[in-house]
Amino acid sequence: MSNLHHMKSPGSANAVRESSQTERAIMGLRDAVLRGHFPPSERLSEVEVADHLGVSRTPIRAALQRLAEEGLLEAVHPSGYVVRAFSEQDIADAIEVRGTIEALAARMAAERGVSRLILQQMRDCAAKMQAQFDSPVSDDERLEQYAIFNERFHALIIEAAGSGVVQRALTRVATLPFASPNAFVSAQARLPGSMEIMRMAMMQHHDIIDAIEARAGARVEALVKEHSRIAHKNLELALRNRDVLDSLVGAPLIQRA
């Protein structure tokens, strides 16, 4: 049999390459916007963005459209985009929406049932987060490791729901400033009272796992909503500590009172 059937066509290879460049452009532009390289209300030039990211203008067009769909950019007439600014209420609303979607995912997981493997992975994440508090490493290293396992824990909740619709909805809202579960983790050691809040969050992780395992849908939905309010408390602390807030990714997009 000829090996020609197993060879990728030039068109297929080009499609893969273009897809990779587009994803690179999306991630690069999102990071640049959140870090303030392109300030709020600034009109974005395709040429400037392409030069900054080192990619061609074609994937930049796709990246601009994607970030507009996510809410980080706003389309302006007759054509083009500007970086959006976010009020404190916008950020609080984004955190609320993220918590509501995660709570829905947890309820779906509990009601539909979850494999022993996913439950064990969730327990492993919770245990590794707890272990960071007994680790002799620096606060920065401890929080870096905590963030890895915390991100995985929240991803497992969505995976356990088994819903692509829910996953896409969460992915969209989590890209907004401070809406992701790890938005404040890097600053926890510098926010007064924040480490105590983190300990409370870890206790909630165990309760969430137990409720999913018990297939208690209404209980786990309430638990996850309460868990998301941890982010609201951290936001309030950060807003009272501007030096800490300014060090966080996304801070340049906040409208200052």
Side-chain angles (χ1 to χ4, degrees):
M1 181 182 293
S2 171
N3 290 329
L4 291 177
H5 293 290
H6 301 285
M7 295 174 63
K8 289 184 178 180
S9 69
S12 174
N14 289 337
V16 170
R17 183 163 55 251
E18 289 173 5
S19 175
S20 176
Q21 290 175 344
T22 299
E23 286 304 312
R24 176 186 167 195
I26 291 169
M27 291 187 292
L29 180 56
R30 186 186 294 127
D31 184 71
V33 167
L34 289 172
R35 294 183 184 277
H37 184 84
F38 303 110
S41 301
E42 177 177 308
R43 193 180 185 94
L44 296 180
S45 158
E46 286 185 10
V47 174
E48 181 185 6
V49 175
D51 287 345
H52 176 72
L53 298 180
V55 296
S56 68
R57 292 175 63 180
T58 299
I60 291 301
R61 292 189 193 103
L64 290 167
Q65 183 176 355
R66 171 71 71 82
L67 264 65
E69 292 170 357
E70 292 176 358
L72 287 175
L73 304 181
E74 184 175 358
V76 292
H77 297 294
S79 64
Y81 299 89
V82 297
V83 177
R84 281 192 59 195
F86 292 83
S87 67
E88 294 173 12
Q89 188 61 57
D90 289 334
I91 296 168
D93 289 348
I95 292 171
E96 187 72 21
V97 171
R98 191 261 296 172
T100 300
I101 296 172
E102 282 195 335
L104 170 63
R107 177 171 63 80
M108 292 170 69
E111 292 175 351
R112 295 174 178 180
V114 178
S115 71
R116 302 304 305 176
L117 175 60
I118 289 182
L119 284 169
Q120 187 55 54
Q121 289 174 336
M122 295 177 77
R123 292 194 189 282
D124 288 344
C125 284
K128 287 172 180 175
M129 282 185 273
Q130 185 76 49
Q132 298 310 308
F133 282 85
D134 301 320
S135 175
V137 299
S138 68
D139 283 342
D140 286 344
E141 291 176 286
R142 180 180 296 114
L143 292 173
E144 182 179 352
Q145 289 300 307
Y146 179 96
I148 292 171
F149 299 121
N150 188 53
E151 181 176 0
R152 177 60 179 152
F153 180 86
H154 284 266
L156 283 166
I157 292 176
I158 305 304
E159 182 180 339
S163 170
V165 173
V166 170
Q167 184 173 32
R168 286 190 293 274
L170 183 66
T171 298
R172 179 172 179 175
V173 73
T175 60
L176 297 176
F178 305 110
S180 75
N182 275 337
F184 297 96
V185 169
S186 64
Q188 304 244 220
R190 292 172 288 153
L191 287 173
S194 190
M195 295 301 281
E196 288 73 18
I197 292 175
M198 183 180 284
R199 290 182 185 277
M200 183 192 308
M202 288 193 298
M203 292 174 61
Q204 291 175 340
H205 288 157
H206 293 290
D207 291 339
I208 288 168
I209 297 167
D210 290 343
I212 290 176
E213 184 174 30
R215 306 193 70 165
R219 172 166 169 71
V220 77
E221 186 172 27
L223 284 169
V224 174
K225 283 184 178 179
E226 181 61 31
H227 184 63
S228 73
R229 295 193 176 102
I230 294 284
H232 283 288
K233 294 176 183 177
N234 281 326
L235 175 61
E236 292 170 4
L237 288 174
L239 290 171
R240 294 200 296 266
N241 293 267
R242 291 288 180 165
D243 289 344
V244 175
L245 180 65
D246 288 342
S247 71
L248 296 173
V249 174
L253 302 186
I254 299 178
Q255 290 176 335
R256 303 294 168 147

